[in-house]
């Protein structure tokens, strides 16, 4: 299943957009297509009666949706929602609500120029390429704000939007969802660190199906092994071997979702030396087997 690009707005001067959606649904009738868009999306799922049973899918990540689930998706990150409503003794479910904020990249850049004190916004936007979930404390604050924005005039909504972004950027307990970032365009920073990460990332993207060792990256970047290890740990928060494993499993997820390749072939194409090792590594990261992942995704 390949993601389609959703066009949120068509206006050229789009900055941000607030929307509330309510749906009255029957049991076992809900689907949200696998898609991505050019905007940043902050989505709040409201399910106070816990009628919905399902999961979000973001890149290669899967997680449960509960009341007050708050997720941030960056531009280019494919995502969807899948599950069902209702219980065995209920055919009609009361309105289920979703509140969404979309932001254009250009507006967020201007906002950072306007409010230099909000420096953490840059880190928030960079991490949104993985998708983000937030700490319960942050979710409570942001959910309360988002739910009361509807009746406000746009000028007062704008103040609340900025408050929400600053609150999110201050959450140091926010968790990345996908194991690898997804971009519509590569990062524009030109620092030496980012140049090396970009070169290393492109090498892994090109050769992940082949045997890769840290010494290969060292030769590519002309640095020592200790420097290469520090580079990956600083940028990704995990070791080189863990990042490579996460990337390969992420690519395996994409193949499992978009093709009917046999699982043994998926393992071979994503650089795992044998099927049992692939199954073990996959289950260790995803808490399910490749077969279970394909079944749940489809």
């Amino acid at each position: 299943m390949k993601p389609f690009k959703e066009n949120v707005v068509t206006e050229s001067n789009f900055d941000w957009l607030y929307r509330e959606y309510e749906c009255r649904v029957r049991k076992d009738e809900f689907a949200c297509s696998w898609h991505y868009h050019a905007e940043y999306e902050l989505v709040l799922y409201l399910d106070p009666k816990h009628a919905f049973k399902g999961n979000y899918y973001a890149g290669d990540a899967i997680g449960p949706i509960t009341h007050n689930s708050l997720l941030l998706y960056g531009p280019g990150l494919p995502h969807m929602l899948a599950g069902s409503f209702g219980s065995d003794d209920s055919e009609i479910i009361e309105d289920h609500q979703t509140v969404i904020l979309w932001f254009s990249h250009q507006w967020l850049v201007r906002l950072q120029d306007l409010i230099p004190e909000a420096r953490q916004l840059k880190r928030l936007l960079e991490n949104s390429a993985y998708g983000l979930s937030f700490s319960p404390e942050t979710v409570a604050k942001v959910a309360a704000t988002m739910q009361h924005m509807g009746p406000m005039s746009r000028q007062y909504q704008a103040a609340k939007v900025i408050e929400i972004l600053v609150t999110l950027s201050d959450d140091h307990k926010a968790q990345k969802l996908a194991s690898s970032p997804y971009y519509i365009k590569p990062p524009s920073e030109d620092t030496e660190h980012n140049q090396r990460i970009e070169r290393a990332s492109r090498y892994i993207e090109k050769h992940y199906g082949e045997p890769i060792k840290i010494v290969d990256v060292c030769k590519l970047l002309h640095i020592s092994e200790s420097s290469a290890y520090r580079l990956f740990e600083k940028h990704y928060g995990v070791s080189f071997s863990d990042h490579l494993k996460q990337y390969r499993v992420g690519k395996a997820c994409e193949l499992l979702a978009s093709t009917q390749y046999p699982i043994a072939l998926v393992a071979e194409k994503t650089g795992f030396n044998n099927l049992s090792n692939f199954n073990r590594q996959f289950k260790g990261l995803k808490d399910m087997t490749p077969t279970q992942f394909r079944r749940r995704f489809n």
Side-chain angles (χ1 to χ4, degrees), residues 68-85:
N68 272 7
S69 289
L70 181 69
L71 303 172
L72 177 64
Y73 303 125
L77 174 64
H79 56 276
M80 66 178 287
L81 184 70
S84 62
F85 287 93

Side-chain angles (χ1 to χ4, degrees), residues 69-124:
S69 289
L70 181 69
L71 303 172
L72 177 64
Y73 303 125
L77 174 64
H79 56 276
M80 66 178 287
L81 184 70
S84 62
F85 287 93
S87 58
D88 292 339
D89 57 354
S90 175
E91 286 297 324
I92 300 294
I93 305 303
E94 292 189 6
D95 291 345
H96 179 77
Q97 187 178 17
T98 303
V99 183
I100 302 179
L101 276 168
W102 288 285
F103 315 95
S104 74
H105 180 73
Q106 292 79 7
W107 180 73
L108 291 170
V109 170
R110 296 199 304 271
L111 183 62
Q112 293 175 75
D113 292 337
L114 180 65
I115 311 176
E117 293 79 7
R119 297 180 183 89
Q120 294 293 345
L121 280 178
K122 182 173 180 290
R123 180 176 61 86
L124 177 73

Side-chain angles (χ1 to χ4, degrees), residues 81 145 201:
L81 184 70
T145 302
S201 297

Side-chain angles (χ1 to χ4, degrees), residues 119-291:
R119 297 180 183 89
Q120 294 293 345
L121 280 178
K122 182 173 180 290
R123 180 176 61 86
L124 177 73
L125 301 183
E126 289 175 346
N127 289 339
S128 72
Y130 298 83
L132 290 172
S133 63
F134 300 92
S135 66
E137 298 81 7
T138 294
V139 171
K141 292 178 184 178
V142 172
T145 302
M146 290 181 70
Q147 290 180 76
H148 293 91
M149 287 176 58
M152 296 180 181
S153 63
R154 188 164 173 83
Q155 61 182 343
Y156 287 103
Q157 283 185 345
K160 294 299 182 183
V161 168
I162 295 173
E163 177 184 334
I164 287 170
L165 286 168
V166 173
T167 301
L168 295 177
S169 66
D170 281 343
D171 187 357
H172 297 287
K173 297 180 181 178
Q175 298 292 317
K176 295 177 181 177
L177 303 180
S179 60
S180 300
Y182 291 73
Y183 300 103
I184 285 184
K185 293 181 179 180
S188 59
E189 289 83 355
D190 197 35
T191 65
E192 182 178 359
H193 170 86
N194 285 330
Q195 286 179 357
R196 284 177 170 171
I197 280 293
E198 179 70 13
R199 291 176 65 193
S201 297
R202 291 192 179 280
Y203 181 84
I204 291 174
E205 289 171 10
K206 185 177 180 180
H207 299 283
Y208 67 88
E210 308 165 13
I212 299 178
K213 297 180 180 180
I214 189 70
V215 66
D216 300 321
V217 177
C218 295
K219 291 178 180 178
L220 174 73
L221 302 180
H222 305 291
I223 58 177
S224 66
E225 287 193 23
S226 59
S227 296
Y229 283 124
R230 286 196 300 269
L231 183 73
F232 277 85
E233 289 173 356
K234 178 180 179 181
H235 189 82
Y236 293 109
V238 295
S239 67
F240 166 77
S241 59
D242 282 344
H243 172 71
L244 179 59
K245 177 176 64 177
Q246 290 172 359
Y247 187 87
R248 283 170 165 164
V249 168
K251 286 298 180 181
C253 288
E254 292 181 8
L255 290 176
L256 290 168
S258 61
T259 74
Q260 293 302 315
Y261 290 156
I263 291 177
L265 182 57
V266 171
E268 179 184 340
K269 283 182 171 292
T270 52
F272 290 93
N273 53 10
N274 60 67
L275 183 58
S276 61
N277 180 48
F278 172 61
N279 287 329
R280 182 173 63 255
Q281 301 287 4
F282 192 101
K283 188 171 184 179
L285 284 176
K286 297 300 174 186
D287 200 29
M288 67 182 72
T289 66
T291 299

